[in-house]
Amino acid sequence: MITMTYLLNLSVTFVVKMFLALLYLDLLFTRSTFANTYEPGFSGPIENVTAPLAREAVLACAVHNLSSYKVAWLRVDTQTILTIHTHVISRSRRVGVTHTDHRVWFLHIRELRETDRGWYMCQINTDPMKSQLGYLDIVVPPDILDRGTSMDQTVREGASVSLTCVATGSPHPQITWRREHSQPITISDGVQVSSYEGPVLNISRVVRAHAGAYLCIASNGIPPTVSKRIMLTVEFPPSIIIRNQLVGAPLGSDLVLECEVEAYPKPVSYWSRDSGEIVPVGGSIEPLKITGSYRSILRLPLKRLTSSDYGTYKCISKNALGDTEGTIKLYPIPPPALENKNAIQKLNIMVEKSSDITPYGTQDFRLQDYNRGASKQLYRRLLFPLFIIIIKLTF
């Protein structure tokens, strides 16, 4: 009997202990579930932000169940605390913090600098600490640096030259070369292109056609696009072009001799006779410069030709790199036969007219009588009185 009572008491004690153990485990589980349900945390990741230089950037950190816990913002690479809760810890006046009902915390960085680029941490002071990261990228418009970028260049014809353009920006800028007035760029092997990509433009065997303004253009998708103008000057000795080397004209006529000169630096150009005598020219006979080129035209007007004006004329041009000359031979031709000896003739030297062979060589000329109309009018005036005289004689 005693044994049965003892076994019954033992069973009751075991059951009670098991019940108490299960109750304790349930309490622990309930507390854990409650803690996990109401413990603070992040509602979503921090979105990376891209902002232009000198503007404002805002990073957002969304949290829940913050309760009495605090949110802090830190700069990762320097381990600098920027803000804690609503207080700004950073000494920079550019840093600020705001929130929306303690659920979204915003880090403000104004007047952005390139040094602000990097990772930022949003942190909740739980134990252990909870945190997440967001990246701030700063975009910078392109800028062409004077240091390392070519200045205006002057080279001799036949030499080689390299034009360099150095630019900064974020993203790194792309360099494009163009010429002013949409002129083509001649690169290696005589290939012509409208534009050239790359920081260095190499030109081998420079000729005078390469001379002019080149534009270095830097762009990276962030406005504004910038450019720099680099002037390439090509030096070469004078060369002379004479369209008509033999010119015929009658006594008393007017004409103008011309020669075209190409040279740089600017040459000294003048006319002389075959005897070496320099032909004086007035202020209005200065070489005519052709805009946008190294070419100029030297003109020598001759009025009311006399026999002493016939002969050889030399167009001479000199600069620091050399000198050259071209010759024009002026010879007489007989005046054309005119019905009206008082008519006025004008001599025009025609460049594109077929040449005629003379005892003095090949020459181009054309005579135009601008008073043919006047001669016809005079004939009509004389015809009427003659008609009256004939009628009177008849009757």
Side-chain angles (χ1 to χ4, degrees):
M1 186 67 179
I2 295 175
T3 302
M4 292 294 294
T5 303
Y6 174 76
L7 291 175
L8 182 62
N9 290 336
L10 185 62
S11 298
V12 171
T13 302
F14 177 76
V15 170
V16 170
K17 287 182 177 180
M18 287 294 294
F19 175 78
L20 291 175
L22 291 174
L23 184 63
Y24 179 72
L25 290 175
D26 181 66
L27 180 62
L28 289 177
F29 178 77
T30 302
R31 285 184 178 180
S32 177
T33 303
F34 180 84
N36 290 334
T37 303
Y38 295 98
E39 187 176 272
F42 297 108
S43 301
I46 300 176
E47 294 186 1
N48 297 331
V49 174
T50 299
L53 189 70
R55 299 293 182 85
E56 180 181 2
V58 180
L59 287 90
C61 180
V63 299
H64 55 261
N65 301 329
L66 191 60
S67 185
S68 60
Y69 291 94
K70 301 293 188 291
V71 172
W73 282 99
L74 295 86
R75 178 72 185 265
V76 175
D77 55 353
T78 60
Q79 291 296 310
T80 304
I81 300 176
L82 303 176
T83 67
I84 297 178
H85 202 53
T86 59
H87 305 289
V88 176
I89 307 302
S90 173
R91 295 181 180 180
S92 175
R93 62 177 181 81
R94 301 184 299 115
V95 176
V97 62
T98 59
H99 64 87
T100 303
D101 296 331
H102 295 83
R103 294 181 178 179
V104 183
W105 292 81
F106 301 99
L107 174 66
H108 299 261
I109 305 177
R110 296 175 290 273
E111 301 174 14
L112 286 172
R113 304 169 182 173
E114 287 193 70
T115 54
D116 295 325
R117 183 186 293 110
W119 290 97
Y120 290 80
M121 176 185 291
C122 177
Q123 185 181 97
I124 302 175
N125 62 336
T126 55
D127 187 17
M129 176 265 294
K130 295 182 178 181
S131 65
Q132 61 178 355
L133 302 177
Y135 190 80
L136 173 61
D137 189 19
I138 312 297
V139 292
V140 183
D143 182 35
I144 297 177
L145 304 180
D146 290 334
R147 185 174 183 179
T149 299
S150 297
M151 306 294 289
D152 291 346
Q153 301 286 313
T154 300
V155 297
R156 291 284 298 269
E157 193 170 40
S160 298
V161 66
S162 294
L163 303 180
T164 304
C165 188
V166 179
T168 61
S170 181
H172 190 72
Q174 182 179 16
I175 304 298
T176 303
W177 292 92
R178 295 183 183 274
R179 291 189 68 179
E180 277 190 341
H181 311 300
S182 301
Q183 290 184 328
I185 297 176
T186 304
I187 53 177
S188 59
D189 300 328
V191 177
Q192 291 189 337
V193 294
S194 60
S195 63
Y196 179 81
E197 306 290 338
V200 180
L201 175 62
N202 294 312
I203 304 176
S204 57
R205 298 182 61 83
V206 173
V207 297
R208 61 198 70 176
H210 287 120
Y214 290 77
L215 300 177
C216 158
I217 304 170
S219 61
N220 65 351
I222 311 300
T225 297
V226 294
S227 65
K228 182 176 180 178
R229 184 175 185 268
I230 301 174
M231 192 70 185
L232 177 61
T233 302
V234 180
E235 293 183 331
F236 55 95
S239 62
I240 290 178
I241 301 173
I242 296 180
R243 305 295 179 182
N244 292 312
Q245 294 183 322
L246 296 173
V247 178
L251 287 170
S253 60
D254 299 343
L255 59 82
V256 177
L257 302 180
E258 287 187 356
C259 75
E260 299 177 14
V261 179
E262 288 188 354
Y264 194 86
K266 182 180 178 180
V268 175
S269 302
Y270 58 92
W271 291 95
S272 74
R273 299 296 300 269
D274 50 355
S275 61
E277 175 189 1
I278 296 178
V279 180
V281 292
S284 61
I285 317 300
E286 289 296 319
L288 177 64
K289 182 74 169 61
I290 299 178
T291 304
S293 71
Y294 295 110
R295 183 178 300 177
S296 59
I297 299 177
L298 190 64
R299 294 192 173 107
L300 177 63
L302 299 174
K303 298 181 180 296
R304 300 176 183 176
L305 288 176
T306 64
S307 58
S308 62
D309 292 326
Y310 295 109
T312 300
Y313 290 80
K314 292 182 179 181
C315 174
I316 302 174
S317 185
K318 301 179 179 181
N319 69 3
L321 303 180
D323 59 83
T324 189
E325 64 180 38
T327 60
I328 298 178
K329 186 173 182 179
L330 177 63
Y331 61 89
I333 59 174
L338 299 176
E339 295 179 1
N340 181 11
K341 296 182 179 180
N342 295 324
I344 300 173
Q345 294 90 26
K346 182 177 180 181
L347 177 66
N348 287 332
I349 306 302
M350 303 301 296
V351 173
E352 297 180 355
K353 182 181 180 297
S354 300
S355 301
D356 293 331
I357 305 300
T358 72
Y360 297 92
T362 304
Q363 50 88 25
D364 289 329
F365 67 94
R366 184 177 69 182
L367 288 176
Q368 290 184 349
D369 183 358
Y370 287 89
N371 276 343
R372 287 181 181 176
S375 300
K376 292 180 181 180
Q377 187 176 4
L378 180 61
Y379 176 76
R380 290 171 183 171
R381 291 180 180 177
L382 293 175
L383 182 61
F384 182 76
L386 182 61
F387 179 76
I388 298 298
I389 294 173
I390 293 172
I391 292 175
K392 287 183 178 181
L393 291 176
T394 302
F395 295 95

